[in-house]
Amino acid sequence: MNYKESLLNMIDIAIDNKSKYIAVVVVNANSKGRELIINPTDNFDYKKEYYNNAYDDTLKLKACKDISIVAFAHDSDLSQLAYKLRYWL
């Protein structure tokens, strides 16, 4: 399984588990810090389609290879979500 498949699978698991949030950590070579992007349940289907179309198998943005997703998680508790991604922030 490649990285993109893992991300898409995580979104499916979040849907099945009725998680309230999915999050990705994004690195931009032109920025100093990493970005934490959190999406609520209502956006899961859209974000799954977006990530599938906009990112390659290594989770680099197709339109700009300087941008990539380096971590992702799901949870219903924002503090737990941040805890899961703490090493990437």
Side-chain angles (χ1 to χ4, degrees):
M1 183 178 305
N2 64 43
Y3 295 118
K4 183 165 71 173
E5 287 174 350
S6 295
L7 171 61
L8 301 177
N9 186 54
M10 183 273 302
I11 296 171
D12 288 337
I13 292 168
I15 292 168
D16 291 345
N17 290 344
K18 298 185 181 356
S19 294
K20 291 183 181 178
Y21 308 102
I22 57 171
V24 295
V25 177
V26 176
V27 172
N28 182 335
N30 300 313
S31 297
K32 291 182 182 179
R34 295 176 176 202
E35 298 176 9
L36 174 62
I37 301 171
I38 299 171
N39 280 278
T41 305
D42 291 343
N43 293 353
F44 288 3
D45 290 329
Y46 166 76
K47 291 311 265 185
K48 182 178 177 184
E49 183 178 337
Y50 169 75
Y51 293 139
N52 189 42
N53 293 323
Y55 286 81
D56 68 16
D57 290 342
T58 64
L59 293 179
K60 290 192 182 295
L61 187 61
K62 292 176 183 177
C64 179
K65 297 295 184 179
D66 289 338
I67 298 172
S68 60
I69 295 172
V70 295
F72 45 85
H74 70 92
D75 210 290
S76 290
D77 182 311
L78 287 174
S79 62
Q80 286 298 310
L81 193 58
Y83 181 79
K84 290 176 180 181
L85 297 170
R86 69 193 179 280
Y87 294 114
W88 295 97
L89 297 171

